[in-house]
Amino acid sequence: MGGVTSSIAAKFAFFPPNPPSYTVIAEDSAGDKLYIPEVARRDDVDVLKLKTRRGNEIVAVHVKHPRASSTLLYSHGNAADLGQMFELFVELSARLRVNLMGYDYSGYGQSTGKLTYLRLAKELVFNFDALTACSFDIYSICCNHPVFLKQPTEYNTYADIDAAYKCLKEKYGVKDEQLILYGQSVGSGPTVDLASRIPTLRGVVLHSPILSGLRVLYPVKRTYWFDIYKNIDKIGMVNCPVLVIHGTSDEVVDLSHGKNLWELCNEKYEPLWISGGGHCNLELYPEFIKHLKKFVQTLGKSKPSASSSKKNGVESESQKKPSEAGGSDTLELATELPEISRNSLDSRLDKSKKPIKPEKSRMSTDRVDRFRRRKGLVW
């Protein structure tokens, strides 16, 4: 049961654009200077290739702002790549006055790590060790066998964001106190994972986040070892202000995911529930950039003590309505071991003063493929 459910969750999680929307070309024979010919060349943008601890080489872009005092590390959703995100990255850097690094996950865009289903089948059929391991420990084979190390997986994305973080520290001299992590949809997984391991971050933004991969499919009330991106169990280890943005009409990741995560945050910042917003269009709402800019500016000021921010802080503003629409603010865009099964933090959510309507079961296992073809699931 566990192996089947984990496989279904993984099938929902990763949809790299095929073919990729961009290429990477070296400007000279030495290959020191890289650029993406499909987008406008800019002096303030670096195109990089970064090596991860799991052996993949991922592509990243770094957008510089002349007056930046902070850096945003952006983890995108599951059905986009850098070519599609580039314009948004440049726009966010300019509007928020931040440096911004975006990266592609292993197996996305021009990052290495692509694995076709045909090749995967051949590897398993002709590799007796893989088949034996698969019979006894489906989780270990999926996480650590060489067949799976070079494709989009949960643990590859953790290695990917670590490589981007290391680059920011070593190449650009970014301090943890200057760093804001931004995770969109499935990108909330690597974002929360990294944030839970860095105690002095400036802030975190969760854009249409997920409680966990399995909870997108089923309204489960505990965390199972075969689940992926267990944000619900990690968000309590994040010790910096967290902004949650979610659309009220999101049909892919229910609004309850964003609200529940916000309830579990240690340092809550006024959330933004965008009325009528879907899963992939929140950037088009005027209140999106206004609220995000307000958050970044607030982080730039002196940070309150942990005790006062938990008791008073910006949490007191959580019931305010989102900013009214304003046309000028609209973005115009063209060693991993399985965890044992345990009770999760869902019980804390059940005791909330304002109970949130449980999310509906998304899909039964026998309808997954038909649903994906019809719906084009993106998260």
Side-chain angles (χ1 to χ4, degrees):
M1 169 62 182
V4 174
T5 309
S6 182
S7 298
I8 293 173
K11 286 174 71 177
F12 274 106
F14 305 108
F15 296 96
N18 188 20
S21 69
Y22 71 98
T23 56
V24 177
I25 296 178
E27 193 172 62
D28 50 47
S29 57
D32 296 331
K33 183 70 173 178
L34 304 174
Y35 70 97
I36 298 175
E38 289 80 8
V39 301
R41 298 188 65 173
R42 302 174 59 98
D43 294 334
D44 58 354
V45 174
D46 294 333
V47 180
L48 310 162
K49 288 188 177 181
L50 311 175
K51 198 76 172 180
T52 78
R53 66 173 182 270
R54 290 171 70 86
N56 291 322
E57 189 176 62
I58 63 170
V59 179
V61 295
H62 182 267
V63 185
K64 296 180 287 291
H65 190 283
R67 290 183 286 177
S69 61
S70 59
T71 296
L72 194 74
L73 177 53
Y74 195 115
S75 300
H76 62 66
N78 73 329
D81 62 21
L82 286 184
Q84 298 169 340
M85 299 297 295
F86 185 84
E87 185 181 352
L88 176 62
F89 289 166
V90 172
E91 185 78 6
L92 285 177
S93 175
R95 293 293 189 95
L96 303 178
R97 295 185 179 181
V98 297
N99 298 323
L100 187 149
M101 174 171 277
Y103 65 98
D104 259 343
Y105 309 122
S106 297
Y108 276 69
Q110 296 303 322
S111 297
T112 63
K114 296 174 177 62
L115 180 65
T116 64
Y117 286 110
L118 178 60
R119 178 186 158 201
L120 172 59
K122 289 180 178 179
E123 289 276 4
L124 290 177
V125 169
F126 294 106
N127 190 321
F128 178 79
D129 292 335
L131 285 173
T132 303
C134 191
S135 300
F136 294 100
D137 190 352
I138 186 67
Y139 189 87
S140 292
I141 178 73
C142 288
C143 289
N144 299 313
H145 192 276
V147 171
F148 295 90
L149 288 176
K150 296 183 177 296
Q151 63 168 323
T153 68
E154 176 190 12
Y155 285 100
N156 274 348
T157 62
Y158 295 159
D160 298 337
I161 195 172
D162 283 353
Y165 170 67
K166 181 180 179 182
C167 176
L168 287 174
K169 299 273 286 185
E170 296 180 354
K171 181 178 177 66
Y172 297 101
V174 177
K175 299 178 181 179
D176 291 346
E177 295 82 1
Q178 301 171 316
L179 185 60
I180 303 170
L181 300 185
Y182 189 116
Q184 179 180 5
S185 192
V186 77
S188 63
T191 293
V192 172
D193 181 78
L194 180 59
S196 69
R197 296 182 276 118
I198 304 177
T200 56
L201 284 172
R202 176 167 288 198
V204 169
V205 180
L206 299 179
H207 173 157
S208 305
I210 62 174
L211 284 166
S212 73
L214 187 59
R215 286 174 173 84
V216 177
L217 304 175
Y218 308 104
V220 295
K221 289 298 182 182
R222 62 183 295 157
T223 296
Y224 295 90
W225 62 266
F226 49 81
D227 201 354
I228 63 174
Y229 296 127
K230 307 176 185 75
N231 292 338
I232 187 173
D233 296 323
K234 297 178 182 179
I235 192 65
M237 294 181 282
V238 177
N239 296 309
C240 65
V242 179
L243 165 63
V244 181
I245 304 174
H246 215 117
T248 62
S249 299
D250 193 326
E251 295 183 350
V252 177
V253 178
D254 192 78
L255 175 63
S256 60
H257 286 249
K259 288 193 171 184
N260 287 344
L261 281 175
W262 183 81
E263 289 287 348
L264 294 171
C265 290
N266 290 323
E267 291 193 45
K268 301 176 178 67
Y269 185 84
E270 178 187 359
L272 177 60
W273 315 128
I274 298 183
S275 179
H279 190 69
C280 300
N281 64 349
L282 300 188
E283 300 91 342
L284 301 179
Y285 286 78
E287 54 264 43
F288 170 85
I289 192 64
K290 292 176 67 176
H291 201 77
L292 183 56
K293 186 174 183 178
K294 177 184 174 185
F295 176 65
V296 172
Q297 291 174 340
T298 300
L299 296 178
K301 301 175 183 178
S302 58
K303 187 177 178 181
S305 64
S307 59
S308 64
S309 62
K310 289 180 182 179
K311 294 180 181 179
N312 305 316
V314 291
E315 181 179 353
S316 61
E317 302 180 39
S318 62
Q319 301 304 320
K320 292 182 180 179
K321 294 182 180 180
S323 302
E324 294 299 325
S328 61
D329 289 300
T330 303
L331 286 178
E332 298 179 1
L333 304 175
T335 36
E336 304 91 357
L337 295 176
E339 301 181 27
I340 60 174
S341 178
R342 65 187 187 281
N343 289 329
S344 72
L345 301 177
D346 294 85
S347 58
R348 284 173 55 186
L349 299 173
D350 293 336
K351 298 177 182 179
S352 174
K353 292 182 179 180
K354 294 184 178 181
I356 300 167
K357 185 178 180 181
E359 57 183 290
K360 297 179 181 179
S361 178
R362 290 290 178 191
M363 186 54 52
S364 60
T365 57
D366 59 335
R367 297 172 59 199
V368 169
D369 289 334
R370 183 173 59 182
F371 178 78
R372 287 178 55 191
R373 288 195 301 269
R374 176 170 58 86
K375 199 73 174 177
L377 185 60
V378 179
W379 52 277

